[in-house]
Amino acid sequence: GAVVSQHPSRVICKSGTSVKIECRSLDFQATTMFWYRQFPKQSLMLMATSNEGSKATYEQGVEKDKFLINHASLTLSTLTVTSAHPEDSSFYICSARRDRGLEQYFGPGTRLTVT
Amino acid sequence: GENVEQHPSTLSVQEGDSAVIKCTYSDSASNYFPWYKQELGKGPQLIIDIRSNVGEKKDQRIAVTLNKTAKHFSLHITETQPEDSAVYFCAASLGVNTGNQFYFGTGTSLTVIP
């Protein structure tokens, strides 16, 4: 149990376009989902926390208008990178947490390349 | 906020030997400490965790120890195998007090030499 999927696994887009990444909890209901960004050989950087049915909480320095997060159901959260630029190229990973659970289960990640 | 430090950043061991990775945390209110294994190009996988009311936990070749007084916890891998080669991250959490946010260490790249 506790499987989290992400789609797509890889995406290449042109500068100025928007990209949507989906995060799904496949076999449990996730009251909270987290979005992370990871640069090569570095740790995970929390971007935002989203709770089902409410607005996401963004970490300091993360532009909420650029990284739109929607957590519309207990099994799906989406991250939309708007007007992407090459500096947005990175590995984006989501995680999900059950209600009253401490564990976070991570998705396989999405490699975004902006040309 | 919480600050987690992890050492060493790289570790090479011979197959069959043990590997130990250590983490320290700053906030004594942290109460949950997971360890993740991340293979290249993949998401982190939870391998073991420990809560603050427990001093040690073991799962086959993997064990975690927690010293609340000293505010440090360690991952122990015995009888290492080449497939244990990966980057390992520790994390600390204050639970609901911070929205269940995890504070991650900087990672340890483990290489098991056949």
Side-chain angles (χ1 to χ4, degrees), chain A residues 1-15:
Chain A
V3 179
V4 177
S5 70
Q6 271 184 252
H7 179 80
S9 58
R10 289 178 173 272
V11 57
I12 301 172
C13 70
K14 293 189 176 180
S15 188

Side-chain angles (χ1 to χ4, degrees), chain A residues 38 43 97 103-104 106-108, chain B residues 32 36 38 43-44 100 102 104-105:
Chain A
Q38 187 177 36
S43 190
R97 185 188 70 86
E103 303 87 349
Q104 286 186 31
F106 283 82
Chain B
Y32 176 65
Y36 287 88
Q38 186 177 27
N100 296 290
F102 282 7
F104 282 93

Side-chain angles (χ1 to χ4, degrees), chain A residues 66-87:
Chain A
K66 181 168 188 60
F67 298 100
L68 301 178
I69 292 171
N70 184 277
H71 191 163
S73 77
L74 285 172
T75 59
L76 173 64
S77 178
T78 60
L79 167 68
T80 302
V81 183
T82 63
S83 186
H85 291 285
E87 56 264 32

Side-chain angles (χ1 to χ4, degrees), chain B residues 60-99:
Chain B
Q60 299 182 349
R61 297 187 296 109
I62 295 173
V64 56
T65 58
L66 171 65
N67 183 326
K68 286 196 301 182
T69 303
K71 290 187 282 191
H72 68 69
F73 56 112
S74 300
L75 177 71
H76 304 253
I77 306 174
T78 58
E79 301 172 26
T80 54
Q81 300 167 4
E83 50 265 38
D84 294 329
S85 297
V87 178
Y88 292 80
F89 291 98
C90 65
S93 173
L94 284 83
V96 295
N97 294 328
T98 56

Side-chain angles (χ1 to χ4, degrees), chain A:
Chain A
V3 179
V4 177
S5 70
Q6 271 184 252
H7 179 80
S9 58
R10 289 178 173 272
V11 57
I12 301 172
C13 70
K14 293 189 176 180
S15 188
T17 61
S18 295
V19 173
K20 179 185 283 188
I21 302 170
E22 291 187 352
C23 177
R24 293 182 185 271
S25 55
L26 299 184
D27 52 2
F28 67 99
Q29 292 187 328
T31 52
T32 307
M33 286 185 169
F34 303 85
W35 286 95
Y36 294 85
R37 184 173 179 176
Q38 187 177 36
F39 292 103
K41 300 192 178 185
Q42 293 192 22
S43 190
L44 294 90
M45 182 186 80
L46 180 65
M47 299 175 66
T49 302
S50 75
N51 291 294
E52 186 265 338
S54 60
K55 289 185 178 181
T57 303
Y58 290 82
E59 294 302 299
Q60 194 171 6
V62 178
E63 299 175 60
K64 63 177 70 174
D65 294 330
K66 181 168 188 60
F67 298 100
L68 301 178
I69 292 171
N70 184 277
H71 191 163
S73 77
L74 285 172
T75 59
L76 173 64
S77 178
T78 60
L79 167 68
T80 302
V81 183
T82 63
S83 186
H85 291 285
E87 56 264 32
D88 298 324
S89 298
S90 191
F91 193 51
Y92 292 88
I93 315 173
C94 71
S95 71
R97 185 188 70 86
R98 287 188 178 99
D99 188 27
R100 288 194 287 272
L102 294 175
E103 303 87 349
Q104 286 186 31
Y105 300 98
F106 283 82
T110 296
R111 173 73 58 192
L112 170 63
T113 303
V114 184
T115 61

